[in-house]
Every structure is written in structure tokens, then in C-alpha cells.
Amino acid sequence: MRTFNNILITGGAGFIGSNMVRYLFEGYANFAGRVINLDSLTYAGNPESLADIAERYGKGAKPRYVFVQGDICDRPLIEKLFKDYEIDAVIHFAAESHVDRSIVGPEAFIRTNVMGTFTLLDVARNAWKTSDGTLRKDVLFHHISTDEVYGSLGETGYFTETTAYDPRSPYSASKAGSDHLVMAYHHTYGLPVTLTNCSNNYGPYQFPEKLIPLMILNMTEGKPLPVYGDGKNIRDWLYVEDHNSAVWLVMRQGKIGEKYNIGGENEWQNIELLKKLINIVAEETGKNTNDLRSLITYVKDRPGHDRRYAIDCSKLKGELGWSQSVSFEEGLRKTVRWYLANPTWVAHVRSGEYRSWIEKNYDKR
Ligand code: NAD
Ligand code: DAU
């Protein structure tokens, strides 16, 4: 079982990263060390998501939670963080993550997802060198990736860890590039790495451009529910905490230099998912189901829209004993309740208003 003292989390102000920080301090992980959260705060990053964690763990002479606003492409900054905080593990979440944005503006994806990952890997390689030139063995670089690198499935079949990469959007191509760099740094330089490829996440603190939070909020606001194409594209959904429990397990017990698929084993056509979500929102808000259904609006398809993703996570289950813990019904209900209960977070993340909060609360590097 590997243990760590000082974990650098990149992208920890985003959706999955902020849930990971929460999981480390207050979830099953019960992590006793320090977390350095490096995030440049793009439109998707909101430090308010961790305001309570900053309050509880970010104070005093030796805080256990440190937030740094900065870019993963900024090499001198990363070098300084490795040195100042004696980083012995990295969990690399930071990325441009939205497929639609990658179609409109791919450049930011190449910069952050490819160049940013390269910068982190290269700094880690130098920082973790021993006096005889070999790399330390008591450290770990964990890379967070996606099932989208495998491409698109037809009606049958699953992505396994040996499925050939076939990315089809600028987003997934940039993630595939980052995965290859991670593995190259392991094979060439001996950098201790693990890598996970996960299916679609949902849960609290997800930026409301992604399907589930967008639909919940549009329902509450009486806005159209835009369904791309025929609505029959299939995604495999996993509650965010189950993603993070798998990441933590792989970091602690997974084989160095290996990749593990993570999935919900929970496939839904978009339109069927939307109908299920409508029923839950109706129950939670008292709105009329038929009124909500009348908001469904079929719109032009996403260019190159992948038809189906489905993950085979039997390696993770068999080797490490992981399993999903949150049913779709339960996870969706928790998510709906969270969005209904947190209008201020929603308003701030949409307007970028939290930026004034950060000016008051944190020093910029
Ligand atoms: P997100 O968009 O919610 O968060 C990304 C975070 O990274 C933001 O806080 C943003 O400010 C930060 N960031 C972006 N560019 C940066 C840069 N150059 N330097 C520092 N920080 C930067 O994304 P998410 O949904 O939380 O995804 C996190 C990771 O998980 C990504 O690597 C993504 O590819 C992967 N992933 C996501 C899903 C999913 O369903 N959301 C599934 C599988 C894998
Ligand atoms: O599979 C993992 C990936 O899941 C992650 O790597 C990505 O970071 C994450 O954004 C997500 O990608 P998707 O493209 O699958 O997620 P998104 O929420 O954008 O869309 C889910 C499905 O819903 C997809 O088939 C497109 C469709 N959709 C999406 C939106 C935003 C709609 O029909 N209407 C919409 O308005």
C-alpha cells in the first residue's frame, strides 16, 4: 500500500478535482497529509467549491490545504511548488474538458492538455531524480483521463485497457496525447505513473455546460432542453465520488506503469436519461412532468458526435476489488437536490463572480 505526504492536485477547483479534495480530507480516504491545489481558474474553476475546506484545513502556520492560482504550463511555478512543498504525489485533473468548446476553439485544449501535461511530467522527472540519476520509487504521478480516447462504439462491445486509441474530437485527441506522454515518461525515464480512463461523471459542483447540470437548471428555469441529433447517443454514467474512490485505490494499490478503466456499468441513451431526470426534478420541485417534457427540443447534432461509450472495468474490480457504491437513481436525486439547494454557487460560476471572492481570500502567485 503506497502512502503520500504532500499531494499536488491540478485542476482542484474544477468539478472532479474539487470533489477529490473533499474526498481526501473528509471522505473515505481520510488522508492525513497536505494537499496543494494548483488551478488557473478558467471559466470552469471555482474556488468557492472548496470554501469550507479552505476554512477548516487552510489556516494556521502549516496549513494542510493550500490553494495556488497558477497555470500547469508555468514551469518555474511548478518547480517552485515541488520544492517548497516537497511534493511526493501528483493527481493531474487540470484540463480543458468540454467537447463542444474543443470544436469551437481547439487551441486551448492542445496547450493545457498536451503542453501542460508535458510540463508537469518534465518537472516531476527532474524533481524526483536521486543523486545517482535514477528516479525515486516512493513517489507517484497519477494521470486522470477519459474513455473518449478510445473513440466511439457501435451497439455492442466495450472499451478495455487494451482497446486501441481512436480519439475523434480535439478534446479527446488532446487527452490521448497526454496519456501517451504519461506512458512515455514511465517507459523512457522510469517515472512512477498510474493512469485511469473514466466514463461520464455527474454530481455536485459540475459546471452547468455538461448535460446533467445543464438540463436540471434549464428545467428549473423553464428553458428548452437541447437534445443533440436523435438523442440516442449512449453514455456510461458514474457518480463523481465513485470515480474518486477508484482513483485513490489505484494510487495506493494499482500497478506502477499500468492503466485502469473506471466506469459505471450504467449505459443510458441521452433521451432516456433526460426522461428519468425529468421525473426526479418533477418530484423534487413539484413541477408538472408533462410541462417539463414539453421543453425537450431536438437540436443540430454535435459534429463528429461519438455514438456510444461503454467501459469494461473488470480489471479494476478484479485486481483491486473496487465497485460502484452509488446507484443512478440515488446519485441523480442527490445531484438534483444539490443544484436546487445551491443557487448562489450556480449564479457565481455562471457569472464568474467568485473572482472577486478569490481576490479577497487568496494571494496570487
Ligand atoms: P472541469 O472543466 O470541471 O475542471 C477543470 C479544471 O482545470 C478547472 O478548475 C480549470 O480551472 C482547471 N484548468 C484548466 N486549464 C488549466 C491550466 N492550464 N492550468 C491549471 N488549471 C487549469 O473538468 P472535470 O470535469 O472536473 O475534469 C477533470 C479531469 O477529468 C479532466 O482531465 C477530464 O479530462 C477528466 N475526465 C472528466 C470526465 C467527466 O465526465 N467530467 C470523465 C473522465 C475524465
Ligand atoms: O466520457 C467522459 C467525458 O464525458 C469526459 O472526458 C468529458 O470531459 C466530459 O465533458 C464528458 O463528455 P461528453 O461529451 O460525453 O459530455 P456532455 O455532458 O457534453 O454530453 C453528454 C451527452 O449529451 C453527449 O452525447 C452529448 C449530449 N448533449 C450534451 C449537451 C451539453 C446533448 O444532447 N445536449 C446538450 O446540451
Side-chain angles (χ1 to χ4, degrees):
M1 179 95 71
R2 282 181 285 274
T3 56
F4 311 105
N5 296 313
N6 298 300
I7 303 181
L8 174 66
I9 294 197
T10 69
F15 164 47
I16 309 174
S18 64
N19 277 286
M20 183 80 205
V21 174
R22 197 170 287 286
Y23 177 80
L24 285 174
F25 282 120
E26 302 196 331
Y28 183 74
N30 201 15
F31 175 63
R34 185 165 52 177
V35 169
I36 314 303
N37 177 3
L38 171 66
D39 195 301
S40 63
L41 300 182
T42 68
Y43 75 94
N46 181 0
E48 274 181 3
S49 304
L50 290 169
D52 57 330
I53 294 284
E55 190 62 31
R56 284 196 283 282
Y57 304 94
K59 303 230 156 116
K62 209 181 170 203
R64 290 183 53 215
Y65 174 72
V66 177
F67 177 76
V68 178
Q69 184 177 358
D71 194 315
I72 58 166
C73 298
D74 182 345
R75 189 178 183 112
L77 171 63
I78 318 278
E79 284 170 347
K80 184 165 165 41
L81 294 179
F82 265 77
K83 193 159 168 281
D84 288 357
Y85 295 106
E86 298 173 358
I87 300 299
D88 59 1
V90 176
I91 318 179
H92 177 30
F93 289 97
E96 289 292 339
S97 69
H98 194 47
V99 175
D100 294 327
R101 287 182 191 256
S102 83
I103 294 166
V104 178
E107 193 170 338
F109 288 70
I110 308 307
R111 181 185 176 277
T112 286
N113 301 0
V114 181
M115 286 306 294
T117 303
F118 158 71
T119 306
L120 286 166
L121 288 165
D122 212 50
V123 172
R125 170 169 86 97
N126 284 309
W128 289 340
K129 227 178 240 168
T130 63
S131 51
D132 68 4
T134 58
L135 291 195
R136 280 170 61 182
K137 302 230 177 319
D138 59 338
V139 291
L140 183 72
F141 190 108
H142 183 84
H143 181 59
I144 304 288
S145 192
T146 167
D147 58 359
E148 300 202 11
V149 296
Y150 296 122
S152 179
L153 292 164
E155 284 180 11
T156 58
Y158 294 91
F159 298 134
T160 72
E161 287 80 0
T162 55
T163 302
Y165 276 27
D166 183 22
R168 295 150 56 100
S169 72
Y171 164 68
S172 52
S174 66
K175 289 298 291 186
S178 67
D179 290 13
H180 290 316
L181 283 169
V182 170
M183 285 309 183
Y185 267 66
H186 172 66
H187 292 296
T188 309
Y189 305 112
L191 190 74
V193 306
T194 44
L195 193 164
T196 44
N197 296 85
C198 191
S199 63
N200 285 64
N201 285 215
Y202 70 99
Y205 304 104
Q206 187 169 31
F207 191 83
E209 63 187 346
K210 306 288 194 318
L211 183 73
I212 289 179
L214 176 81
M215 293 298 179
I216 295 171
L217 295 176
N218 281 12
M219 282 182 223
T220 63
E221 292 160 3
K223 291 183 185 160
L225 309 176
V227 175
Y228 296 167
D230 64 4
K232 293 187 175 161
N233 299 66
I234 291 174
R235 297 292 181 268
D236 169 10
W237 294 92
L238 180 70
Y239 193 64
V240 61
E241 206 175 299
D242 281 337
H243 181 179
N244 286 330
S245 73
V247 167
W248 188 234
L249 186 62
V250 169
M251 289 180 67
R252 309 251 293 161
Q253 296 181 49
K255 287 192 189 129
I256 294 296
E258 295 226 357
K259 67 206 294 288
Y260 292 83
N261 281 352
I262 309 171
E265 298 176 298
N266 178 39
E267 292 180 49
W268 287 79
Q269 282 188 349
N270 292 336
I271 188 67
E272 295 307 321
L273 185 163
L274 186 51
K275 287 179 189 162
K276 185 174 177 65
L277 196 55
I278 283 173
N279 291 340
I280 295 175
V281 171
E283 282 167 21
E284 293 293 329
T285 59
K287 286 185 187 285
N288 180 285
T289 306
N290 289 330
D291 290 348
L292 292 178
R293 282 201 179 204
S294 71
L295 297 174
I296 294 176
T297 310
Y298 287 90
V299 299
K300 197 161 165 265
D301 209 353
R302 171 187 280 174
H305 194 176
D306 289 340
R307 192 63 174 171
R308 174 172 166 258
Y309 303 144
I311 278 276
D312 175 344
C313 54
S314 54
K315 176 176 174 183
L316 178 64
K317 290 186 145 183
E319 275 186 24
L320 302 184
W322 176 82
S323 61
Q324 306 89 352
S325 70
V326 181
S327 73
F328 202 34
E329 174 71 29
E330 183 194 348
L332 279 182
R333 200 169 287 278
K334 274 164 100 163
T335 306
V336 167
R337 286 185 181 162
W338 189 87
Y339 279 93
L340 294 177
N342 287 281
T344 307
W345 182 92
V346 171
H348 285 183
V349 83
R350 277 173 164 171
S351 67
E353 202 175 309
Y354 59 85
R355 284 175 208 291
S356 57
W357 183 89
I358 186 104
E359 298 292 339
K360 276 186 254 136
N361 286 276
Y362 291 114
D363 291 336
K364 274 195 181 169
R365 291 229 170 192

Coordinates of all heavy atoms in Angstrom, one line a residue, residues 316-349:
L316 N -10.1 -3.3 -12.9 CA -10.1 -2.6 -11.6 C -10.9 -3.4 -10.5 O -10.5 -3.4 -9.4 CB -10.8 -1.2 -11.9 CG -11.0 -0.3 -10.7 CD1 -9.7 0.1 -10.1 CD2 -11.8 0.9 -11.1
K317 N -12.0 -4.0 -10.9 CA -12.8 -4.7 -10.0 C -12.1 -6.0 -9.5 O -12.0 -6.3 -8.4 CB -14.1 -5.1 -10.6 CG -15.1 -3.9 -10.8 CD -16.4 -4.4 -11.3 CE -17.5 -3.5 -10.6 NZ -18.8 -3.8 -11.0
G318 N -11.5 -6.7 -10.5 CA -10.9 -8.0 -10.2 C -9.6 -7.8 -9.5 O -9.3 -8.5 -8.5
E319 N -8.7 -6.9 -10.0 CA -7.4 -6.8 -9.3 C -7.4 -6.0 -8.0 O -6.7 -6.4 -7.1 CB -6.4 -6.0 -10.3 CG -5.8 -6.9 -11.3 CD -4.7 -6.1 -12.1 OE1 -4.2 -5.1 -11.6 OE2 -4.5 -6.5 -13.3
L320 N -8.3 -5.0 -7.9 CA -8.2 -4.1 -6.8 C -9.4 -4.2 -5.9 O -9.5 -3.5 -4.9 CB -7.9 -2.7 -7.2 CG -6.6 -2.5 -8.0 CD1 -6.4 -1.0 -8.3 CD2 -5.4 -3.0 -7.3
G321 N -10.5 -4.9 -6.4 CA -11.7 -5.0 -5.6 C -12.6 -3.8 -5.5 O -13.4 -3.7 -4.6
W322 N -12.4 -2.9 -6.5 CA -13.3 -1.7 -6.5 C -14.7 -2.0 -6.9 O -14.9 -3.0 -7.7 CB -12.7 -0.7 -7.4 CG -13.5 0.6 -7.6 CD1 -13.6 1.7 -6.8 CD2 -14.5 0.9 -8.7 NE1 -14.4 2.6 -7.3 CE2 -15.0 2.1 -8.4 CE3 -14.9 0.2 -9.8 CZ2 -15.9 2.7 -9.3 CZ3 -15.8 0.7 -10.7 CH2 -16.3 2.0 -10.4
S323 N -15.7 -1.3 -6.4 CA -17.0 -1.4 -7.0 C -17.7 0.0 -6.9 O -17.3 0.8 -6.0 CB -17.9 -2.5 -6.4 OG -18.0 -2.2 -5.0
Q324 N -18.7 0.2 -7.7 CA -19.5 1.4 -7.6 C -20.3 1.4 -6.3 O -20.8 0.3 -5.9 CB -20.5 1.6 -8.8 CG -19.8 1.5 -10.2 CD -19.7 0.1 -10.7 OE1 -20.0 -0.9 -10.0 NE2 -19.3 0.0 -11.9
S325 N -20.6 2.5 -5.7 CA -21.4 2.5 -4.4 C -22.7 3.3 -4.5 O -23.5 3.1 -3.6 CB -20.5 3.0 -3.3 OG -20.3 4.4 -3.4
V326 N -22.8 4.1 -5.5 CA -24.0 4.9 -5.6 C -24.8 4.5 -6.8 O -24.3 4.6 -8.0 CB -23.6 6.4 -5.7 CG1 -24.8 7.3 -5.8 CG2 -22.7 6.8 -4.6
S327 N -26.1 4.2 -6.6 CA -26.9 3.8 -7.7 C -27.3 5.1 -8.6 O -27.2 6.2 -8.0 CB -28.2 3.2 -7.2 OG -29.1 4.2 -6.7
F328 N -27.7 4.9 -9.8 CA -28.0 6.0 -10.6 C -29.2 6.8 -10.1 O -29.1 8.1 -10.0 CB -28.4 5.6 -12.1 CG -28.2 6.6 -13.1 CD1 -27.2 7.6 -13.0 CD2 -29.0 6.7 -14.2 CE1 -27.0 8.5 -14.0 CE2 -28.8 7.6 -15.2 CZ -27.8 8.6 -15.1
E329 N -30.2 6.1 -9.6 CA -31.4 6.8 -9.0 C -30.9 7.7 -7.9 O -31.3 8.9 -7.8 CB -32.3 5.7 -8.6 CG -33.5 6.2 -7.8 CD -34.6 6.9 -8.7 OE1 -34.6 6.6 -9.9 OE2 -35.2 7.8 -8.1
E330 N -30.1 7.1 -7.0 CA -29.7 7.8 -5.8 C -28.8 9.0 -6.1 O -28.9 10.1 -5.6 CB -28.9 6.8 -4.9 CG -28.4 7.4 -3.5 CD -27.4 6.4 -2.9 OE1 -27.3 5.3 -3.3 OE2 -26.8 6.9 -1.9
G331 N -27.8 8.7 -7.1 CA -26.9 9.8 -7.5 C -27.6 10.9 -8.2 O -27.3 12.1 -7.9
L332 N -28.5 10.6 -9.0 CA -29.2 11.7 -9.7 C -30.1 12.5 -8.8 O -30.1 13.8 -8.8 CB -30.2 11.1 -10.8 CG -29.5 10.7 -12.1 CD1 -30.6 10.2 -13.1 CD2 -28.8 11.9 -12.8
R333 N -30.7 11.9 -7.8 CA -31.5 12.6 -6.8 C -30.6 13.5 -6.0 O -30.9 14.7 -5.8 CB -32.3 11.6 -6.0 CG -33.5 12.2 -5.3 CD -34.4 11.2 -4.7 NE -35.2 10.4 -5.6 CZ -36.3 10.8 -6.2 NH1 -36.8 12.0 -5.9 NH2 -37.0 10.1 -7.0
K334 N -29.5 13.0 -5.5 CA -28.6 13.8 -4.7 C -28.1 15.0 -5.6 O -28.0 16.1 -5.0 CB -27.3 13.0 -4.4 CG -27.4 12.1 -3.1 CD -26.3 11.1 -3.1 CE -25.2 11.4 -2.2 NZ -24.4 10.2 -1.9
T335 N -27.8 14.8 -6.8 CA -27.4 15.8 -7.7 C -28.4 16.9 -7.9 O -28.2 18.1 -7.8 CB -26.9 15.3 -9.1 OG1 -26.0 14.2 -8.8 CG2 -26.3 16.3 -10.0
V336 N -29.7 16.5 -8.2 CA -30.8 17.4 -8.4 C -30.9 18.2 -7.1 O -31.0 19.5 -7.1 CB -32.1 16.7 -8.7 CG1 -33.3 17.6 -8.6 CG2 -32.0 16.0 -10.1
R337 N -30.9 17.6 -6.0 CA -31.1 18.3 -4.7 C -30.0 19.3 -4.5 O -30.2 20.4 -4.0 CB -31.2 17.3 -3.5 CG -32.5 16.6 -3.5 CD -32.6 15.7 -2.2 NE -33.9 15.0 -2.3 CZ -34.2 13.9 -1.6 NH1 -33.3 13.4 -0.8 NH2 -35.3 13.3 -1.7
W338 N -28.8 18.9 -4.8 CA -27.6 19.8 -4.6 C -27.8 21.1 -5.5 O -27.6 22.2 -5.0 CB -26.3 19.1 -5.0 CG -25.1 19.9 -4.6 CD1 -24.5 20.0 -3.3 CD2 -24.5 20.9 -5.4 NE1 -23.5 20.9 -3.3 CE2 -23.5 21.5 -4.5 CE3 -24.6 21.4 -6.7 CZ2 -22.6 22.5 -5.0 CZ3 -23.8 22.4 -7.1 CH2 -22.8 23.0 -6.3
Y339 N -28.2 20.9 -6.7 CA -28.3 22.1 -7.6 C -29.5 23.0 -7.2 O -29.4 24.2 -7.2 CB -28.4 21.7 -9.1 CG -27.1 21.4 -9.7 CD1 -26.6 20.1 -9.7 CD2 -26.3 22.5 -10.2 CE1 -25.3 19.9 -10.2 CE2 -25.0 22.2 -10.7 CZ -24.5 20.9 -10.7 OH -23.2 20.7 -11.1
L340 N -30.5 22.4 -6.6 CA -31.7 23.2 -6.2 C -31.3 23.9 -4.9 O -31.7 25.0 -4.7 CB -32.9 22.2 -5.8 CG -33.5 21.6 -7.1 CD1 -34.6 20.6 -6.6 CD2 -34.0 22.6 -8.1
A341 N -30.4 23.3 -4.1 CA -30.0 23.9 -2.8 C -28.9 24.9 -2.9 O -28.5 25.6 -1.9 CB -29.6 22.8 -1.8
N342 N -28.3 25.0 -4.1 CA -27.1 25.9 -4.2 C -27.1 26.9 -5.4 O -26.2 27.0 -6.2 CB -25.8 25.0 -4.4 CG -25.5 24.3 -3.1 OD1 -24.8 24.9 -2.2 ND2 -25.9 23.1 -2.9
P343 N -28.2 27.8 -5.3 CA -28.4 28.7 -6.4 C -27.2 29.8 -6.4 O -26.9 30.3 -7.5 CB -29.7 29.4 -6.1 CG -30.0 29.1 -4.7 CD -29.3 27.8 -4.4
T344 N -26.6 30.1 -5.3 CA -25.6 31.1 -5.3 C -24.3 30.5 -6.0 O -23.7 31.2 -6.8 CB -25.2 31.5 -3.8 OG1 -26.4 31.8 -3.2 CG2 -24.2 32.6 -3.8
W345 N -24.0 29.3 -5.7 CA -22.8 28.7 -6.4 C -23.1 28.7 -7.9 O -22.2 29.1 -8.7 CB -22.6 27.2 -5.9 CG -21.4 26.5 -6.6 CD1 -20.2 26.5 -6.1 CD2 -21.4 25.8 -7.8 NE1 -19.3 25.8 -6.9 CE2 -20.1 25.4 -8.0 CE3 -22.4 25.6 -8.8 CZ2 -19.7 24.7 -9.2 CZ3 -22.0 24.8 -10.0 CH2 -20.6 24.4 -10.1
V346 N -24.3 28.4 -8.3 CA -24.6 28.3 -9.7 C -24.5 29.8 -10.3 O -23.9 29.9 -11.4 CB -26.1 27.8 -10.0 CG1 -26.5 28.0 -11.4 CG2 -26.2 26.3 -9.6
A347 N -25.1 30.7 -9.6 CA -25.0 32.1 -10.2 C -23.6 32.6 -10.3 O -23.2 33.2 -11.3 CB -25.8 33.0 -9.2
H348 N -22.8 32.3 -9.3 CA -21.4 32.7 -9.3 C -20.6 32.1 -10.4 O -19.8 32.7 -11.0 CB -20.7 32.5 -7.9 CG -21.2 33.5 -6.9 ND1 -20.7 33.6 -5.6 CD2 -22.1 34.5 -7.0 CE1 -21.3 34.5 -5.0 NE2 -22.1 35.1 -5.7
V349 N -20.8 30.8 -10.5 CA -19.9 30.1 -11.5 C -20.4 30.5 -13.0 O -19.5 30.6 -13.9 CB -20.0 28.5 -11.3 CG1 -21.2 27.9 -12.0 CG2 -18.7 27.9 -11.8

